[in-house]
Amino acid sequence: MRAGAKNLLYLVDIFSDLDTEQTNEIDHNCEWLRVPKGREIISQKQRSTDVYLIAEGRVAAKGYSVDGKEVTYAEISAGQIFGEFSAIDGRSRSASVEALDESYIARMDSNQFRNLIAAYPSVGLRIAELLVRKNRNLTDRMFEYSTMAVHQRVCTELLRMVDADHEGNAFMIEPAPSHYQIATMLSTHREAVSKELARLSRMGIVESGRRKIEVLDVERLRQLAQTSFS
């Protein structure tokens, strides 16, 4: 831990079963980074194996085709980690990661990460759960790309942004991703997303503004996500 850096590892989900003394011990093996919005943290195909632990902020994992097409695999928020794939298998980075907000992140090398898993079985279990969750999410997206029309994928993505524990039929997504960012998540283009959001707005299901989308009728949005029409 660098001089003057604050230890916020207790905010990271994989350490939720550990006490302060244990997170302080782990912190000695971390370097803390203040990352500005828009900064690329790791690059696709990069030969590096460090793990990153997000205490504050948000990042996006992205891939780029040879002709420059951008695909967003996931947004990763405070409390989560990234870079664990390469730390575990030693292979090149499968995605680039860019800061969506100013972020405060701890970096740990892969050897320390492996030692951490061996020393704290609860951390190893949390990481296993995380990897299974990521695999399920990617499987869901592959299924959606293969079987759903664009309007269904837009509705489904909005539903993902609605808090699963939310009660009621309205929900505010803020800050909301831009139409372009949503398009990169859905393997489509910005114009298609803008068209679908405008249609949902005319139907009284959503209302969008600068950096926010209010879902006015979650139940109707859920029904549309299951409806196929041309």
Side-chain angles (χ1 to χ4, degrees):
M1 177 175 172
R2 68 184 183 184
K6 53 183 178 178
N7 175 15
L8 296 180
L9 290 181
Y10 67 91
L11 297 174
V12 179
D13 292 350
I14 63 170
F15 301 135
S16 61
D17 296 320
L18 305 185
D19 59 31
T20 301
E21 181 178 350
Q22 290 169 321
T23 56
N24 284 338
E25 181 179 344
I26 294 167
D27 182 63
H28 292 310
N29 299 315
C30 296
E31 177 189 8
W32 285 92
L33 310 171
R34 182 68 69 178
V35 182
K37 179 180 178 179
R39 173 74 56 84
E40 185 177 78
I41 304 166
I42 58 177
S43 303
Q44 188 176 359
K45 304 299 184 182
Q46 181 181 340
R47 296 289 299 180
S48 65
T49 56
D50 292 341
V51 175
Y52 296 81
L53 314 157
I54 309 174
E56 298 173 349
R58 283 183 310 143
V59 305
K62 302 180 178 183
Y64 296 90
S65 68
V66 292
D67 59 356
K69 182 179 179 181
E70 179 181 329
V71 177
T72 299
Y73 300 125
E75 289 190 4
I76 309 167
S77 56
Q80 302 301 310
I81 73 173
F82 62 93
E84 74 278 10
F85 287 13
S86 293
I88 291 171
D89 67 12
R91 297 175 63 182
S92 300
R93 301 295 189 180
S94 58
S96 297
V97 177
E98 175 186 309
L100 294 176
D101 303 316
E102 181 178 335
S103 301
Y104 191 56
I105 297 172
R107 180 169 61 196
M108 176 186 295
D109 73 42
S110 58
N111 288 331
Q112 296 292 349
F113 181 67
R114 287 172 170 271
N115 292 338
L116 173 67
I117 294 172
Y120 298 101
S122 67
V123 174
L125 178 59
R126 294 279 183 179
I127 292 168
E129 292 170 344
L130 172 65
L131 293 174
V132 170
R133 186 162 60 248
K134 287 185 175 182
N135 182 66
R136 287 185 183 277
N137 288 341
L138 288 174
T139 300
D140 288 344
R141 286 188 179 277
M142 288 179 62
F143 179 80
E144 290 163 12
Y145 296 158
S146 301
T147 64
M148 289 184 173
V150 171
H151 79 271
Q152 291 176 293
R153 300 205 301 272
V154 171
C155 292
T156 300
E157 192 62 37
L158 292 176
L159 288 169
R160 280 198 186 94
M161 299 177 197
V162 173
D163 190 336
D165 297 325
H166 172 69
E167 295 182 2
N169 207 31
F171 186 84
M172 179 68 75
I173 301 167
E174 189 176 17
S178 68
H179 294 187
Y180 173 76
Q181 289 171 323
I182 295 174
T184 67
M185 299 173 190
L186 303 180
S187 190
T188 187
H189 49 86
R190 184 185 61 79
E191 292 78 9
V193 172
S194 298
K195 176 182 176 182
E196 292 305 323
L197 288 175
R199 185 175 67 87
L200 292 172
S201 179
R202 291 194 300 271
M203 296 173 70
I205 295 174
V206 305
E207 185 175 294
S208 57
R210 183 173 177 80
R211 299 216 64 194
K212 66 180 181 180
I213 299 173
E214 184 176 8
V215 179
L216 303 172
D217 195 330
V218 174
E219 186 54 39
R220 286 184 69 197
L221 185 66
R222 188 173 290 113
Q223 292 170 2
L224 276 181
Q226 301 300 320
T227 303
S228 176
F229 55 84
S230 57

